[in-house]
Every structure is written in structure tokens, then in C-alpha cells.
Amino acid sequence: MKKLLLFAMVCITMVSCGPQIYKAPSFTEVSAKHQVVAILPFDVTIESRRLPKGVTAEMVQDQQRDYGYGIQGDVYGYLLREMSKGRYTVKFQDVSKTNALLNDAGISAEALRLTSKEELCGLLGVDAVISGQAIMSKPMSDGAAIAVGLLVGAWGSTNAVNTSITIHEGRAGELMWKYDYVASGSVGSSRQALTNALMRNSSKKFPYRKS
């Protein structure tokens, strides 16, 4: 039984629905001047009607915040690997610098929702910011999926994970690009697997990609 559970935790199954893509008509013109882009912590929501015994709302909030920073780091790592192959027209600010500047300005992960993108670009000294959202829909009815996530860092058994990645330019904070992706995962669907699935699918349409 233990071997079976371990196997389930290791195996990854990720099934996606067709993505929804938005690209502003002015993106090519506006992005021609972009040199440095920052990646913000992702906004993560874990939806559940009931929490398992021993799991508090504060613990879930901490987990959401940790996953948000984790996905930020995963996206940065993915983009760095692609950038090393000369595939992008811009550079990406180190996330440790991004988070240090946000911390110094007193902007928490939760406060990012209330801060305009143009203000963030000015604070970070970049031409645009990449942000994103991940909503894990209803886990198992007994809340076991959240307990798994809190204990071992896995997403747990979910109906779907709705994710999106967006780019806002710095001058007016306008939305320049948005990619929506829906993935369903098993117990083994880790944060890294989710991020890789999102980036792998969006990379072909990523607007800073060299033609």
C-alpha cells in the first residue's frame, strides 16, 4: 500500500483544456523598447468548503503565499533556461531582487493585488511585469487534498487548476498579453509540474520570443 501511495505521489498526470490567449494590438510596438521584465509572485487560491482536522485558514493562507513565491521562482527558472538559448528579446530581473525591492517598499504578496502595475514597474525599475494566478478548484470533499499539499508540497487531488500568466507594460500599466490554461491533476501533480505545463504550453505564444 505504501509503495502504491508513493508511486501515486511521484506520477504526474496533467490534462489540459484549450488555452485562451489575448494579445494587445499595440504589443509589438510597445514591447520593442522593453529591455528588462520582472516576474511577480503568483496569486494562488486554494478553494475548499471544509478544512480537514488540524488545518486552519491561516495555514492555507501561508500555503497559498508559499506556492505563489514558488511558482514565481519556477517561472523565472524556466525563462532563464530559454533565455540562455537566445530565444527572448528581453532579460528577466532576478526574482530575489524583485522580492527584496517589494519587501523594502512594504508590499506583501497580498498587497500586490491592490498595487497598480505601473507603480510596480516604477518601483522595480523594469519595463514590464509578468504576473499570474492559480486557482485550485474544489479538492476532495474531506479536505485531504489540502492536507497533502500542506504536508508534502503536492497539489493533491483536484478537479482542475485554473492558471493564467499575464504581461503588463510599465508606462500605463496596460495589459499587453494574457494566457489562460486549465489543467487537471492527480495526487502527484506537483507545483513544478504545474508550472512546467503552463510554461511549456504558453512558450510558443510567448510574445517576447524571437521569431
Side-chain angles (χ1 to χ4, degrees):
M1 183 67 181
K2 290 183 179 179
K3 290 183 178 180
L4 180 62
L5 179 59
L6 179 61
F7 179 79
M9 293 297 295
V10 173
C11 291
I12 303 296
T13 58
M14 196 70 72
V15 180
S16 65
C17 298
Q20 300 293 319
I21 306 170
Y22 165 78
K23 184 177 180 180
S26 60
F27 187 91
T28 301
E29 178 183 356
V30 172
S31 64
K33 300 179 181 179
H34 291 180
Q35 297 182 17
V36 182
V37 178
I39 305 162
L40 302 176
F42 272 50
D43 183 3
V44 176
T45 301
I46 301 174
E47 297 180 339
S48 179
R49 294 180 181 178
R50 286 191 307 174
L51 296 179
K53 186 177 180 180
V55 177
T56 66
E58 289 74 19
M59 292 170 68
V60 175
Q61 290 176 355
D62 289 343
Q63 180 71 356
Q64 292 176 157
R65 182 176 59 254
D66 291 345
Y67 265 82
Y69 282 109
I71 295 176
Q72 176 197 28
D74 293 341
V75 170
Y76 177 60
Y78 186 96
L79 293 175
L80 275 187
R81 290 192 296 272
E82 295 296 294
M83 187 175 68
S84 68
K85 301 173 185 177
R87 292 179 175 172
Y88 297 131
T89 60
V90 296
K91 295 182 179 180
F92 302 97
Q93 186 177 79
D94 191 308
V95 293
S96 61
K97 178 179 180 179
T98 299
N99 293 337
L101 291 171
L102 292 174
N103 183 68
D104 290 345
I107 301 177
S108 64
E110 292 76 16
L112 285 174
R113 301 178 182 179
L114 305 176
T115 309
S116 68
K117 295 299 190 293
E118 60 265 36
E119 182 178 348
L120 290 172
C121 285
L123 171 66
L124 299 173
V126 295
D127 302 301
V129 289
I130 294 173
S131 60
Q133 185 178 52
I135 301 175
M136 190 182 77
S137 66
K138 182 177 175 293
M140 292 183 290
S141 59
D142 62 358
I146 291 182
V148 169
L150 290 168
L151 293 174
V152 301
W155 276 101
S157 178
T158 68
N159 292 332
V161 180
N162 294 278
T163 58
S164 65
I165 182 168
T166 61
I167 297 174
H168 289 77
E169 57 86 29
R171 290 191 175 183
E174 295 182 354
L175 176 64
M176 292 281 100
W177 183 76
K178 187 172 188 287
Y179 187 97
D180 294 315
Y181 178 81
V182 180
S184 62
S186 70
V187 174
S189 298
S190 68
R191 187 200 72 217
Q192 291 86 351
L194 175 65
T195 306
N196 285 336
L198 171 64
M199 297 307 296
R200 187 168 56 249
N201 282 274
S202 65
S203 62
K204 294 179 181 179
K205 300 294 183 181
F206 196 68
Y208 290 118
R209 191 180 179 92
K210 291 181 179 178
S211 56

